[in-house]
Amino acid sequence: MTELINPATIGILAGLVSGCIPGIGNFAALLILFPYLINLDPLQIIILYTALTTISQYIGSIPAITFGIPGESSSMPAVIESRKLKNSQQIYQAIVGSAVGSTFGGLVVLALTWMVLDYLIYTVHFFNTLIQFSLYCALLGAMILIHKENKYWVNVLLIMAGFGLGLIGYEKVTMTKILTFDSHLLYQGLPMVVVVIVLLGIPEVLKNYNTKVKYKTFNFKPEKLSFQWISNSWYSLLGFIGGLAPGLTTTMSSQLAWIDAKTRNKTPVERIVASETANNAGAFSQLIPLLLLGIPLIGSEALVLGLVESKGFRLDTTSFHDMFMAVGVSLIFLNVIGLCLAWPLAKHIIKIFKINIKFLYLTILVILALVVVYVGFTNYQTAYYITVAIALLPMAYILRKLDTMPLIFAFLVHDKMIDAGYRLISLYW
């Protein structure tokens, strides 16, 4: 297990950045770490991703509560409720309650899943080609509906563009060349890392570049915390269910708990704790379809799946038990670390916002450019990678005000949908 310590540590640090800086979500954090990720084995990649998603949920609540800025999309209920907090003590209660609730929610659903592990594996017997294809269609449908920064028809066009970019290259099934222009380099398709960095990473940075954060100093005085164990057990269950929602995962988890807390006339602090407890529960349950079926529910999981499969490894029932055990054990330690970061160390985490945000974004842009060059160099195709990046830059500029996740998700899963589609046709027609 010692070989997992370094990836877990890197994942924790990446989660800290992902949770703190607006617009730099888990996907962008993975892109920054790409040169490191491509040298890891499949289990190390999964552990790093688990650490990243878990810690980002803990840290994302801190800027949401203190500054009203969502470090993570799942922290939007905390952003809304933070406006109703009257003083620094209520802010302290919300931060501490969220940290304790996140730990409680994460460990509760981990224990429950551990108890029904054999039943989960049994459900795979009902998973066939038709269901697989239907799930991918549902995921793309969710992408159209949930990314509300764009109009629905824009999301449809983005998905079509993602599929179009994915089709470039040599199609093995039909043995046809698509937009290769007789270049042997294009036969292999567009480089995944270049497409994702240029069409997701760069637009996200440009979109958030002008974000303004006013640093605040809070004088937190520790006081007794009232944590409602029974209510938060319920919110943990809601979070677990919400985490299985295609395309929404932790966002759905926090929204379900928040809506339920509002109907029960909870205080703003209690609503924040409810939503944060649920989203950490959802951060775990969203991993189950990935580990058990090799089905990604969100874009960052699709990238992780692509990295794992590039190592010649398949995530399915044969690997699920060992993967789950490793992830389960790591989650126990990660939740303890997350609790420490989001509670005793919260007042120090806030100091990150003293740093010039624009400088951070410029640094991230430079790192993303260097990642493209580095990955191209390691594949002995530096000029090709740079050329593709430059060719996609005008498209990135045009899309800079849009949420490009539907495009990227379609690009990442297009080959799986095509494969499932061909198998479906051969089986039923």
Side-chain angles (χ1 to χ4, degrees):
M1 296 291 286
T2 54
E3 70 277 5
L4 302 179
I5 294 176
N6 284 342
T9 303
I10 297 298
I12 290 168
L13 295 174
L16 183 62
V17 174
S18 173
C20 275
I21 304 177
I24 305 303
N26 295 338
F27 208 125
L30 288 173
L31 294 178
I32 293 170
L33 294 175
F34 204 88
Y36 177 70
L37 285 168
I38 57 178
N39 295 312
L40 300 180
D41 63 37
L43 179 56
Q44 289 174 319
I45 293 172
I46 295 296
I47 294 299
L48 185 149
Y49 181 67
T50 302
L52 167 62
T53 54
T54 302
I55 299 301
S56 66
Q57 294 302 320
Y58 277 97
I59 302 302
S61 63
I62 297 175
I65 295 169
T66 54
F67 300 109
I69 296 173
E72 281 287 315
S73 59
S74 58
S75 296
M76 280 308 300
V79 170
I80 295 170
E81 295 297 334
S82 69
R83 299 165 189 160
K84 303 171 186 176
L85 300 178
K86 297 177 181 178
N87 51 53
S88 60
Q89 284 308 104
Q90 287 189 349
I91 293 174
Y92 174 81
Q93 291 172 349
I95 289 176
V96 176
S98 297
V100 174
S102 293
T103 304
F104 179 77
L107 295 180
V108 163
V109 297
L110 175 60
L112 289 174
T113 307
W114 221 310
M115 289 188 289
V116 299
L117 197 59
D118 292 336
Y119 297 100
L120 277 175
I121 297 175
Y122 180 74
T123 60
V124 177
H125 294 293
F126 302 98
F127 185 74
N128 55 34
T129 300
L130 179 60
I131 292 177
Q132 182 182 0
F133 186 77
S134 300
L135 278 173
Y136 279 119
C137 290
L139 285 166
L140 291 176
M143 288 288 161
I144 294 172
L145 297 174
I146 67 174
H147 289 273
K148 295 183 179 179
E149 290 184 33
N150 311 327
K151 295 180 179 178
Y152 296 138
W153 63 269
V154 172
N155 285 332
V156 172
L157 291 177
L158 288 172
I159 288 173
M160 292 172 63
F163 265 100
L165 291 173
L167 289 173
I168 294 175
Y170 182 73
E171 176 55 52
K172 295 179 181 178
V173 178
T174 59
M175 294 184 289
T176 56
K177 296 179 288 185
I178 302 175
L179 296 177
T180 60
F181 304 105
D182 289 325
S183 169
H184 70 281
L185 292 172
L186 282 171
Y187 279 22
Q188 61 190 318
L190 297 179
M192 175 182 69
V193 65
V194 177
V195 174
V196 175
I197 283 177
V198 177
L199 296 184
L200 178 70
I202 292 178
E204 281 297 310
V205 171
L206 293 177
K207 186 166 40 178
N208 291 280
Y209 182 75
N210 290 318
T211 299
K212 294 181 179 179
V213 179
K214 186 177 180 181
Y215 178 77
K216 301 176 185 178
T217 302
F218 294 100
N219 183 25
F220 295 137
K221 295 180 180 179
E223 61 181 50
K224 185 177 179 181
L225 174 70
S226 176
F227 188 78
Q228 301 174 0
W229 302 99
I230 296 176
S231 294
N232 285 290
S233 295
W234 165 243
Y235 294 132
S236 298
L237 180 60
L238 283 180
F240 181 88
I241 296 170
L244 297 172
L248 288 168
T249 60
T250 54
T251 302
M252 174 64 81
S253 297
S254 62
Q255 290 286 339
L256 285 175
W258 179 51
I259 291 169
D260 184 84
K262 286 202 298 183
T263 61
R264 298 172 187 268
N265 295 319
K266 300 283 188 179
T267 66
V269 171
E270 290 171 335
R271 293 176 191 174
I272 291 172
V273 173
S275 65
E276 292 301 314
T277 298
N279 73 31
N280 214 55
F284 169 69
S285 61
Q286 73 177 16
L287 291 170
I288 294 176
L290 177 68
L291 299 180
L292 183 60
L293 304 171
I295 297 290
L297 296 183
I298 51 177
S300 57
E301 288 189 349
L303 180 59
V304 168
L305 181 62
L307 283 166
V308 169
E309 291 185 340
S310 70
K311 307 286 182 177
F313 188 87
R314 288 184 62 84
L315 291 171
D316 53 29
T317 52
T318 59
S319 62
F320 176 68
H321 190 273
D322 291 339
M323 280 283 184
F324 180 85
M325 290 301 174
V327 169
V329 172
S330 68
L331 274 170
I332 296 173
F333 294 100
L334 289 170
N335 276 286
V336 173
I337 293 169
L339 176 63
C340 294
L341 288 173
W343 181 0
L345 299 178
K347 60 183 179 181
H348 301 295
I349 299 293
I350 292 174
K351 293 177 182 177
I352 292 175
F353 288 91
K354 284 186 174 181
I355 303 173
N356 188 301
I357 294 293
K358 289 189 176 182
F359 173 76
L360 287 177
Y361 284 133
L362 287 173
T363 303
I364 290 168
L365 279 176
V366 172
I367 292 173
L368 292 177
L370 291 175
V371 169
V372 170
V373 175
Y374 175 82
V375 178
F377 177 77
T378 57
N379 286 284
Y380 305 102
Q381 296 176 343
T382 307
Y384 173 58
Y385 274 55
I386 293 174
T387 302
V388 173
I390 293 173
L392 291 175
L393 278 176
M395 188 175 180
Y397 183 77
I398 293 170
L399 301 176
R400 70 190 184 281
K401 294 183 180 180
L402 300 177
D403 184 345
T404 58
M405 183 56 75
L407 183 153
I408 297 301
F409 191 84
F411 175 80
L412 291 171
V413 304
H414 82 281
D415 54 340
K416 298 183 182 302
M417 283 202 69
I418 291 173
D419 181 58
Y422 277 125
R423 282 190 280 115
L424 198 62
I425 292 171
S426 62
L427 285 171
Y428 298 101
W429 284 278

